[in-house]
Amino acid sequence: GQQLNQSPQSMFIQEGEDVSMNCTSSSIFNTWLWYKQDPGEGPVLLIALYKAGELTSNGRLTAQFGITRKDSFLNISASIPSDVGIYFCAISGGSNYKLTFGKGTLLTVNP
Amino acid sequence: KAGVTQTPRYLIKTRGQQVTLSCSPISGHRSVSWYQQTPGQGLQFLFEYFSETQRNKGNFPGRFSGRQFSNSRSEMNVSTLELGDSALYLCASSPSQTGYNEQFFGPGTRLTVL
């Protein structure tokens, strides 16, 4: 099956710092998604990327779809305490109608 | 629009029992997917339905089954529960007929098997 490597596994930062996390896949995909999950809740979609090289922002979040179509990164600028949670990258397989998720990045923000 | 709703939110069962979980997708979404989330395995795909047809199934034993109704609501069933079935079960809906689309998740059902 598809391999999706997400790093780092966890991050502990100070409020106001910028954060970067990334995902790489073993195969080429046409859709990259970034989700955030709070404890006890379902993942919430943050950003969807559909074109190689695409750079998309959502407030303080910026994500890019790598030009090789095998990677993506998510940046969070000026982190705040409510950014705490687990961030997942996911790839859409298209014709198999499923998402494959990375293992997640646990973000802790120290006020 | 209301989001994806799942019932119940929490469930406690014992080994050998069966359980049925329910999911109502976002209005207008016809694709419904189910995922199992555990600390060890992360988010694992169970199955996907579109217009009452299962289009794909993940690598889970036959004890896990699902169905979709004509109003796009979906249920999943787990028979002969095992301790390892304890997990957060997530339902997601998607607006598109194709697989190249974002999925929107419900809050999940936390299943504990004792």
Side-chain angles (χ1 to χ4, degrees), chain B residues 16-111:
Chain B
Q17 288 187 309
Q18 75 165 13
V19 66
T20 299
L21 312 181
S22 182
C23 171
S24 292
I26 293 171
S27 177
H29 288 193
R30 293 165 63 191
S31 170
V32 174
S33 301
W34 289 88
Y35 294 82
Q36 181 196 65
Q37 186 176 28
T38 60
Q41 298 299 314
L43 281 148
Q44 302 282 312
F45 172 77
L46 281 158
F47 23 68
E48 189 266 358
Y49 289 88
F50 182 87
S51 292
E52 302 178 68
T53 299
Q54 185 184 87
R55 298 194 292 189
N56 194 11
K57 188 178 191 299
N59 189 25
F60 279 82
R63 299 184 297 107
F64 291 81
S65 63
R67 59 177 176 168
Q68 186 181 34
F69 302 95
S70 59
N71 62 358
S72 295
R73 193 176 67 84
S74 177
E75 289 181 347
M76 68 162 282
N77 184 275
V78 188
S79 62
T80 319
L81 284 165
E82 300 177 359
L83 294 178
D85 296 334
S86 292
L88 181 66
Y89 289 88
L90 293 160
C91 169
S93 74
S94 176
S96 174
Q97 184 175 351
T98 73
Y100 295 100
N101 211 301
E102 57 264 35
Q103 294 182 10
F104 299 90
F105 285 83
T109 294
R110 170 72 63 185
L111 173 65

Side-chain angles (χ1 to χ4, degrees), chain A residues 82-108:
Chain A
S82 62
D83 290 334
V84 165
I86 304 177
Y87 292 79
F88 292 97
C89 61
I91 48 179
S92 172
S95 59
N96 62 16
Y97 308 108
K98 72 174 187 179
L99 298 182
T100 299
F101 285 85
K103 293 294 186 184
T105 295
L106 173 61
L107 177 64
T108 304

